[in-house]
Amino acid sequence: MRVARAFQLPIIAALTALALSGCMQTTAPMATAQPQSELDYMAYGQPYYSAPIAAVPSRSAVADSGGAISALRESFAASSRRNYAPAQEAYAAAPMPVAYDVAYKLDAGDKLRVVVYGQEGLTNSYAIDAGGSITMPLIGSVPARGRTPAGLAAEISAKLRNGYIRDPSVAVEIETYRPFFILGEVAAPGQYPYVPNMSVESAVAIAGGFSPRALRDRVTLTHNNSSGPSRAVVPLGTPLSPGDTVLVGERWF
C-alpha cells in the first residue's frame, strides 16, 4: 500500500503538469476581418483596415450572379456620375453695345462738349441749334449737322488755325443726345431724352407702357438720315437712334 501511494503521487503530478502545459499552449480566440461581399463593397466602399483581396471567381459563380451584379454595378456607377459630375452653366451671350460716338451723325438737339487744349475761354458745352450749327467765340458759327464728332473737331481746328491759334488741339464729345419721340397708344406720349443702346421696347417702357388698346407686337418707326426721313413697321426689339419717332398703333379688337 505504501509503495502504491509512493508511485501514485508522481503520476498525479505528471498529469497535472501535462494539463497545465495544454492550457498555456491554447491561444485566445482572435477576431479576423471577413472579406466583404461585392454588394457591401459597392454600398460602403473598401474598409481602411483590410487590404483588397484578389479572387478569381469560378465559372459557375459568374454564371449564377454575374448578370445581376453587373447590372447593379452599372446602375451604381451611372448614379455616381450623375451626382458628382461638375455642373455646366450656360451663359447667354450679352448683346454688343451700339457705338454712336465714332460714326454718329450730329443734328439739332445734340449737346456737345468742345475742348480746346490750353484755351479755357473756348472750352465749353455747345448745343446744336435748329439750323444745325454751334456758335463759338472767335470763329462764330460752325456747321455741325451731318458731321461726326471727329469731323466737327477737324472743322473747328481749321477755323482756329486761320489767324487765331497756331496749332490748336480740339476734341469733341457728345454730352447729351438729341431726344426721341413716341406717339400713339402709350400711357404718356411725348419727347424723352435718348439713352445709348435703347430699343423700341425700352422707349415704350419709358413712356409708361402700352395703353389698353395698343397694338403690342409692332410699331411704326421714323428715322432721319442724310437722304431724308424713312418710315418702316418694325418689331419691338429694333434698336432706336437719337431723333427717331415711334408711333404705337391701335388694335381693332
Side-chain angles (χ1 to χ4, degrees), residues 17-173:
L18 289 174
L20 291 175
S21 65
C23 292
M24 294 296 291
Q25 292 176 358
T26 302
T27 59
M30 298 177 62
T32 58
Q34 297 295 327
Q36 286 184 315
S37 67
E38 191 169 4
L39 293 177
D40 292 337
Y41 178 79
M42 287 190 293
Y44 303 106
Q46 179 69 23
Y48 69 91
Y49 54 81
S50 62
I53 301 174
V56 180
S58 62
R59 292 184 179 179
S60 60
V62 172
D64 294 339
S65 62
I69 299 299
S70 299
L72 187 57
R73 184 188 297 112
E74 294 281 343
S75 176
F76 183 80
S79 177
S80 299
R81 288 192 297 269
R82 288 193 302 268
N83 292 336
Y84 298 103
Q88 297 180 353
E89 299 181 358
Y91 295 94
M96 294 298 293
V98 181
Y100 288 108
D101 290 346
V102 178
Y104 176 69
K105 303 295 185 180
L106 301 172
D107 206 342
D110 290 329
K111 188 175 182 180
L112 310 176
R113 180 68 178 175
V114 179
V115 178
V116 182
Y117 295 99
Q119 303 293 327
E120 296 182 0
L122 297 175
T123 298
N124 206 342
S125 296
Y126 300 92
I128 302 178
D129 58 25
S133 301
I134 62 173
T135 303
M136 296 182 61
L138 299 180
I139 58 177
S141 178
V142 182
R145 174 176 288 146
R147 297 182 184 271
T148 63
L152 179 59
E155 179 67 17
I156 295 172
S157 297
K159 286 182 172 292
L160 290 174
R161 192 177 295 110
N162 188 15
Y164 297 101
I165 301 174
R166 178 175 298 178
D167 190 15
S169 180
V170 181
V172 175
E173 62 182 10

